[in-house]
Amino acid sequence: MSKKYSLLFALILVTLVSFAQTGKVSGKVLNSKNEPLQGVSIKITGAPGGTTTDVEGRFTLTLSTDKKYELTFTAVGYAAKVVSDVEITAGQVNDLSVIMEKGGAELSTVTVTSRRTPARLETVNSVIAFQKNTNTVASVVSAETIRRSPDRNTGEVLKRTPGASLQDGKFLVVRGLADRYNQAMLNGILLTSTEPDRKTFSFDLIPAAMIDNIVINKAFVPEYPGEWAGGLIQVNTKDIPSQSFFNVQVGTGFNTQTIGKDFYKAKGGKWDWLGIDDGTRGLPPGYTTKSNFDILSAEEKTAMGKKMPNVWTASTATAPLNASFQANGGFTTKLFNKTVGGIFGITYNKSNRFIDMLNQRNNISGTTVSRNYAYNDDRYSQDVLAGALASLSVQLNAKNKISVKSIINVNSANYFTNRNGLDFDRTNDVRASEITFKQNTFFTTQLSGEHSLLAPLRLKWYGAFNILDGYSPDQRRMVYARTTGTQDPYGLLIANSLSQETGSRIFQNLSDYIYTAGGDLSYNFDLFGQRQTVKGGYMLQIKDRLYDAKLFANYLERDNPTLRQLPADQVFAPENFFNNASETDKFGFDAIKGNSFRYLANTILNAGYIQFDNQFFDNLRVVWGVRVENYDQLVGSVKKWDERHTHSEVLDWLPGLNATYKLTPKTNIRLSGSQTVIRPELRELSFLNLYDFELNASVQGNPALKRTKATNADLRYELYPRAGEVFTVGVFYKYFDNAIEQIYNEGGGGSSTFNYQNTDKAVSYGAELEFRKKLDFAPALKNFTLQANAAYIHSRVQANIQGIEIDRPMQGQSPYLLNLGLNYDLQKHGFNATLLYNQIGERIYLVGDISAGASTPNVYEAPRPVLDFQMAKKLLKNKGEIRVNVSDILNRMQYFYQNLDDSKDSFQKNKDPHRFTRKFGTTIGVTFNYSIL
């Protein structure tokens, strides 16, 4: 070996040995207001070197592993802090978050044995400290908590927080208030609804592995958007790592209702495994626009219908195993003497579900129950979640930082529903099916900056562009029937009229383009011997939406029983369509016409605020101010003469006050009051009317809806006994003016509708309890931690609708919520296990028909206990981890019922008639994670 290569080899060897013998300590320094402290000096006792914190209060030190260290933190105007017994582990990052108290030059010595954690910025202790020092009533979920749960996405994580539950697996309900009363932010930037039919954010879009932490504000402060009353959910994705890393995770699993059983799936395209339609379900070549199609002759329209795939049923196969894959990494380096860091990740999850459903409509008169129909619906669904995240940050210097973050997610459901049952109104046996592919693509890119202009002056700015693309191509429905009690062959229910319910092919497109920009300027100054802050800011959000549904249906001009009795895979074969209009006993194809199947919308939100954060004396902190929001909204059509056109502009003044009194260094009392608004979703304001197969009814918008104004009050007691422990108890009250609810209007067959109405007023009040306790008071329990949160809520809606007085609970509210968790952590051996329990009280799922003579009372969702378990073990010198998840162990039936006895709201299983039932099965999964770096 030449001398040159010998020297190179020696240099590489020395570098590797040096790396193996060093580790890092990294963290964030905050003050007692949760504000980052820039320029804090960090010195190593007895050794040269050190560092200072940046504009976000972050620091990193690289140290050798041969001893324990003592670090000294000093900053002007704050008591110095000494942290001793800091241990360094080779190749790992030791997380150390520090809270500095205001004071003089005196030295406060704290002995800390910090926990060894792999490359993460949040630990349980630091998150609890953040919750303790936050400026409002809030709950915080850390990345560590997420890692220890079996949850795969943000929605599943959120359902375990105090006062929160999940509806339909992804829509959040906070404090018993329906999802419309909540708002979402991603990395500090306001998000909007992700669903075309409801005002909500679908939290299953964001995989749990991409989350750094979640903060749920339950009391309004003016610096945040004011369009919510239940909770403001701030999801923060992962940021710059303290050192480079790369992890890979693979997993598999199954559901007890699918494994080893027949699974039905309609033929699709080659990209279905990615959740993307490749055009297989698209409109045929030659189709251009609705207007061009309408001027075609009947023969030309039918010829186009014949070109469409003749796929009206599903093929049978054995359900495959679930599959998941994740890869994420990060780096930090120097570029042009600037600190540059980034993180990236991809995630893929494919799951197979079978949902066993009963779907029936009841006719109730007193204590007598009869059925309009009773269907057994078997739904087979393949769900795909594929996503990617990337972020890049540049630390220009200690005072300036710029970041860009992008997320793209494709969330798709490909399902086939097979229906069998009885239609008592028509005296028919019924066989029906629905084939649906729903593809939601969510993209956001965000650019933000943080700057310390002068010592007391800080600037934050941001800009974002979001796209939500909802695509549901070629949704197919067909219904066969025969007279009950006979052995007649089933015949396709199709006639000379066009129907959304049978023989239909429906294409839906939703495109939202959202532009957001804003900034905040804060100034710190001293008054009354205390640090004070004044903050002001501005936000502009512009949203453009275009929704378009193209509805087509096959029809039969003259009845042909022989044709109608063909099986589903043959009945719409090309040879069964007419070639000329004189063949009236063959199928024709046409569009269901109407201008209510398309709408556009534009909204412009201008918001500004001023907020004061006053520390009047050591124990009293008051955050108060006002936010002003001007909302300009156009829905339906830009043409004023068009009946779909609605336009409004409203200015709202939203005051907020939050006071925190520290009884002791470990105890807070919080009091808050505010005014907020809840605006109707654009879909709710449109004339759009679409048939829902599951509900067997249409959903209709209401352009006359008004915004809801909410008055909010909170009182909470908080106790933080020691690191990692918390106890809180609180009460809250809310008053709603013009609350919005979805109301059922009864009609025959599929002519029933759900629409939206304002109620006169509603109130909601309740109490919440949360605690986290280490059970180390007994030697046998020293490795256990118990977590619990519960909420009791009472709400009433009082209104006069159509001359009828109503007095009932609010739609979507639960009278109680309960979450329990027991964690066992044997850190020395790299083993931990978590048992989690969740249950909500009965809540109104569908508001019944209140019109005179109606016989459909409210539909309630009954309580359903959910028990989950996770077990994880470190392997391969802590480089690998194997994890076993068992979700919904109890697998209890989900009941939706109608109360036969109006004096009792609670569920009486053997007495109250069921409107729906659903059974989901238990899901078992195994994942293996390996850290390459």
Side-chain angles (χ1 to χ4, degrees):
M1 184 181 294
S2 67
K3 182 177 181 181
K4 178 175 69 173
Y5 288 108
S6 297
L7 289 173
L8 179 61
F9 177 78
L11 180 61
I12 293 173
L13 182 63
V14 168
T15 301
L16 291 174
V17 170
S18 174
F19 175 77
Q21 293 178 345
T22 63
K24 291 185 178 182
V25 57
S26 176
K28 191 172 184 178
V29 181
L30 305 174
N31 64 15
S32 59
K33 291 184 177 181
N34 280 343
E35 299 169 336
L37 291 180
Q38 176 197 330
V40 176
S41 175
I42 305 166
K43 300 294 185 182
I44 308 165
T45 302
T51 188
T52 58
T53 56
D54 62 19
V55 68
E56 291 185 313
R58 299 185 185 276
F59 70 92
T60 299
L61 285 170
T62 301
L63 302 169
S64 61
T65 59
D66 57 351
K67 64 176 183 178
K68 295 181 180 180
Y69 291 88
E70 183 178 84
L71 304 180
T72 302
F73 295 77
T74 56
V76 176
Y78 290 87
K81 179 168 284 190
V82 175
V83 182
S84 59
D85 291 335
V86 177
E87 295 182 277
I88 303 299
T89 303
Q92 293 190 13
V93 177
N94 189 357
D95 181 60
L96 178 63
S97 295
V98 174
I99 303 294
M100 297 190 70
E101 302 290 340
K102 184 171 171 53
E106 68 273 13
L107 196 65
S108 173
T109 303
V110 180
T111 300
V112 176
T113 303
S114 52
R115 305 176 73 178
R116 302 177 181 181
T117 57
R120 56 181 177 261
L121 299 176
E122 291 290 341
T123 62
V124 173
N125 291 350
S126 62
V127 168
I128 289 178
F130 182 93
Q131 180 172 314
K132 172 186 175 183
N133 294 322
T134 191
N135 62 1
T136 186
V137 177
S139 297
V140 184
V141 184
S142 68
E144 174 72 2
T145 301
I146 296 167
R147 189 183 70 84
R148 292 182 182 277
S149 76
D151 302 325
R152 296 175 303 169
N153 58 63
T154 314
E156 294 177 352
V157 172
L158 288 168
K159 75 180 181 182
R160 306 186 192 282
T161 58
S165 62
L166 210 60
Q167 192 174 46
D168 297 338
K170 54 187 175 182
F171 305 126
L172 191 67
V173 176
V174 178
R175 287 180 164 175
L177 295 172
D179 47 9
R180 70 165 52 257
Y181 294 102
N182 305 310
Q183 186 62 273
M185 299 179 73
L186 181 64
N187 297 319
I189 298 175
L190 178 65
L191 294 171
T192 56
S193 176
T194 58
E195 300 298 308
D197 292 336
R198 59 198 297 175
K199 188 179 190 302
T200 187
F201 185 82
S202 179
F203 284 99
D204 63 347
L205 286 175
I206 306 175
M210 295 183 177
I211 304 168
D212 189 47
N213 62 72
I214 302 171
V215 180
I216 305 175
N217 284 15
K218 297 179 182 178
F220 169 73
V221 286
E223 64 182 294
Y224 296 128
E227 191 180 350
W228 59 280
L232 176 67
I233 299 93
Q234 302 179 64
V235 180
N236 299 301
T237 55
K238 293 183 177 179
D239 203 356
I240 302 177
S242 300
Q243 70 176 15
S244 298
F245 71 94
F246 186 72
N247 299 324
V248 175
Q249 179 178 294
V250 294
T252 188
F254 60 88
N255 184 279
T256 55
Q257 292 184 178
T258 61
I259 188 69
K261 299 179 175 65
D262 287 344
F263 193 84
Y264 292 83
K265 181 185 176 185
K267 183 181 179 181
K270 62 179 179 294
W271 294 110
D272 281 10
W273 66 278
L274 271 178
I276 299 172
D277 177 65
D278 65 353
T280 299
R281 302 174 181 86
L283 287 161
Y287 183 90
T288 54
T289 63
K290 289 181 180 180
S291 57
N292 286 339
F293 181 84
D294 287 342
I295 64 176
L296 296 177
S297 66
E299 290 85 356
E300 290 172 319
K301 292 177 180 178
T302 300
M304 192 166 290
K306 285 196 290 186
K307 295 178 185 178
M308 302 179 76
N310 182 28
V311 179
W312 290 86
T313 187
S315 56
T316 309
T318 301
L321 292 173
N322 298 339
S324 65
F325 173 80
Q326 290 181 10
N328 54 79
F331 69 92
T332 180
T333 186
K334 290 283 187 178
L335 184 64
F336 302 115
N337 204 32
K338 310 295 182 185
T339 300
V340 178
I343 192 167
F344 62 89
I346 59 173
T347 184
Y348 176 81
N349 189 84
K350 182 179 180 182
S351 59
N352 307 282
R353 296 185 299 143
F354 166 64
I355 306 174
D356 184 6
M357 300 188 290
L358 171 68
N359 185 347
Q360 59 188 20
R361 179 177 152 195
N362 306 304
N363 193 341
I364 300 173
S365 177
T367 57
T368 303
V369 180
S370 60
R371 302 273 188 265
N372 298 102
Y373 58 78
Y375 301 141
N376 291 306
D377 289 352
D378 295 338
R379 174 170 290 183
Y380 301 86
S381 180
Q382 281 200 334
D383 301 332
V384 173
L385 175 63
L389 173 148
S391 68
L392 181 68
S393 296
V394 180
Q395 191 77 47
L396 299 175
N397 50 46
K399 295 184 177 182
N400 299 280
K401 179 183 177 182
I402 295 177
S403 300
V404 59
K405 293 184 178 183
S406 294
I407 295 176
I408 185 168
N409 275 294
V410 177
N411 191 0
S412 298
N414 184 6
Y415 59 83
F416 171 75
T417 303
N418 191 44
R419 171 173 290 173
N420 287 279
L422 297 171
D423 185 335
F424 296 102
D425 289 343
R426 296 187 176 98
T427 322
N428 280 341
D429 297 337
V430 173
R431 290 180 180 174
S433 64
E434 181 184 48
I435 297 172
T436 300
F437 181 87
K438 291 185 177 181
Q439 174 187 321
N440 276 346
T441 303
F442 174 75
F443 170 77
T444 180
T445 185
Q446 304 173 339
L447 179 66
S448 61
E450 298 185 43
H451 310 276
S452 181
L453 304 178
L454 299 170
L457 193 64
R458 294 173 63 89
L459 170 68
K460 289 185 179 182
W461 57 267
Y462 55 85
F465 174 59
N466 292 2
I467 297 176
L468 173 69
D469 185 72
Y471 181 46
S472 182
D474 205 7
Q475 186 177 30
R476 285 148 280 173
R477 302 179 182 126
M478 62 190 332
V479 180
Y480 281 81
R482 71 178 181 191
T483 302
T484 301
T486 71
Q487 295 301 313
D488 295 341
Y490 281 89
L492 180 67
L493 287 184
I494 195 166
N496 59 1
S497 61
L498 303 176
S499 170
Q500 293 188 43
E501 299 175 46
T502 180
S504 60
R505 311 188 80 137
I506 298 173
F507 299 76
Q508 297 182 65
N509 293 83
L510 170 74
S511 296
D512 276 349
Y513 294 87
I514 306 160
Y515 313 85
T516 307
D520 304 274
L521 193 64
S522 62
Y523 180 76
N524 295 321
F525 60 98
D526 290 330
L527 187 66
F528 311 124
Q530 303 287 341
R531 177 62 57 90
Q532 318 293 331
T533 303
V534 60
K535 180 185 287 189
Y538 168 76
M539 184 191 77
L540 169 67
Q541 184 171 87
I542 300 172
K543 178 177 180 178
D544 289 314
R545 169 177 287 187
L546 177 61
Y547 174 86
D548 187 38
K550 303 175 182 70
L551 286 71
F552 304 93
N554 300 302
Y555 65 92
L556 197 57
E557 190 70 29
R558 180 163 56 91
D559 191 22
N560 185 340
T562 302
L563 196 61
R564 290 193 299 106
Q565 290 168 14
L566 290 174
D569 59 346
Q570 299 177 27
V571 66
F572 290 127
E575 61 269 21
N576 296 330
F577 287 84
F578 65 68
N579 294 311
N580 60 75
S582 63
E583 298 177 283
T584 57
D585 60 345
K586 288 191 173 184
F587 291 118
F589 180 81
D590 203 350
I592 302 175
K593 299 175 180 61
N595 63 2
S596 64
F597 301 131
R598 174 186 173 93
Y599 71 91
L600 58 79
N602 171 263
T603 65
I604 302 174
L605 174 62
N606 282 279
Y609 75 90
I610 185 168
Q611 176 178 294
F612 299 91
D613 190 341
N614 295 131
Q615 194 79 38
F616 289 108
F617 48 91
D618 289 342
N619 293 340
L620 179 62
R621 179 186 180 188
V622 179
V623 179
W624 59 285
V626 65
R627 185 179 186 90
V628 182
E629 295 194 350
N630 181 270
Y631 190 70
D632 190 315
Q633 174 180 271
L634 170 70
V635 180
S637 171
V638 295
K639 302 177 177 66
K640 293 183 179 181
W641 51 261
D642 193 324
E643 64 178 357
R644 296 172 297 171
H645 171 87
T646 60
H647 176 257
S648 63
E649 184 174 0
V650 180
L651 182 70
D652 287 302
W653 294 80
L654 308 175
L657 181 145
N658 291 264
T660 304
Y661 185 78
K662 292 187 177 182
L663 290 174
T664 71
K666 297 182 178 181
T667 306
N668 290 336
I669 293 180
R670 298 187 188 271
L671 176 66
S672 68
S674 64
Q675 177 86 61
T676 56
V677 297
I678 300 93
R679 302 180 181 99
E681 166 55 21
L682 300 175
R683 161 65 175 98
E684 298 169 352
L685 291 164
S686 72
F687 278 92
L688 182 63
N689 188 324
L690 287 179
Y691 172 77
D692 187 293
F693 182 81
E694 183 177 339
L695 296 175
N696 197 28
S698 296
V699 181
Q700 171 73 56
N702 178 8
L705 282 180
K706 302 175 183 178
R707 78 192 189 290
T708 303
K709 298 196 74 172
T711 303
N712 316 282
D714 276 89
L715 177 64
R716 185 159 89 164
Y717 171 84
E718 303 173 347
L719 173 64
Y720 301 89
R722 55 176 175 156
E725 295 187 351
V726 60
F727 172 83
T728 70
V729 60
V731 294
F732 63 89
Y733 173 84
K734 297 179 182 294
Y735 175 85
F736 301 92
D737 183 28
N738 287 319
I740 301 171
E741 293 190 317
Q742 193 177 34
I743 308 295
Y744 180 69
N745 293 301
E746 185 178 330
S751 65
S752 301
T753 61
F754 288 91
N755 58 20
Y756 304 91
Q757 292 187 20
N758 290 111
T759 60
D760 295 341
K761 61 180 180 179
V763 295
S764 174
Y765 55 88
E768 292 176 330
L769 171 70
E770 174 190 10
F771 72 87
R772 175 188 172 90
K773 174 65 178 174
K774 297 177 182 178
L775 304 183
D776 52 2
F777 52 81
L781 301 175
K782 66 178 183 178
N783 297 311
F784 286 90
T785 301
L786 178 65
Q787 302 177 72
N789 62 75
Y792 168 80
I793 306 138
H794 179 83
S795 74
R796 303 306 293 178
V797 172
Q798 295 178 326
N800 185 308
I801 298 178
Q802 300 174 3
I804 299 174
E805 296 291 335
I806 62 172
D807 184 6
R808 55 164 173 77
M810 293 179 68
Q811 182 185 22
Q813 82 92 42
S814 300
Y816 69 86
L817 304 98
L818 178 64
N819 290 295
L820 297 172
L822 183 64
N823 174 253
Y824 176 76
D825 192 352
L826 203 59
Q827 187 176 347
K828 182 178 179 181
H829 298 284
F831 176 83
N832 69 77
T834 305
L835 189 66
L836 298 165
Y837 179 87
N838 169 261
Q839 182 170 315
I840 64 169
E842 60 273 355
R843 58 186 174 189
I844 294 179
Y845 180 70
L846 301 172
V847 176
D849 195 343
I850 59 173
S851 60
S855 56
T856 52
N858 300 325
V859 178
Y860 285 83
E861 179 182 350
R864 178 176 178 268
V866 178
L867 185 67
D868 300 325
F869 175 74
Q870 176 180 277
M871 179 175 61
K873 177 69 174 71
K874 293 285 188 181
L875 304 169
L876 305 174
K877 298 181 179 179
N878 290 333
K879 286 279 190 177
E881 182 184 62
I882 189 166
R883 190 183 304 173
V884 178
N885 296 326
V886 186
S887 301
D888 200 357
I889 296 171
L890 302 177
N891 189 24
R892 296 286 181 84
M893 184 77 76
Q894 185 178 39
Y895 290 98
F896 297 85
Y897 67 95
Q898 291 170 295
N899 225 306
L900 201 59
D901 186 348
D902 289 337
S903 65
K904 295 182 179 180
D905 290 334
S906 58
F907 179 43
Q908 302 171 82
K909 180 179 176 181
N910 297 322
K911 182 179 179 182
D912 291 327
H914 305 156
R915 181 67 164 87
F916 307 102
T917 68
R918 296 170 182 162
K919 197 165 188 180
F920 303 96
T922 299
T923 300
I924 300 171
V926 179
T927 59
F928 176 72
N929 183 82
Y930 187 76
S931 299
I932 297 174
L933 294 178

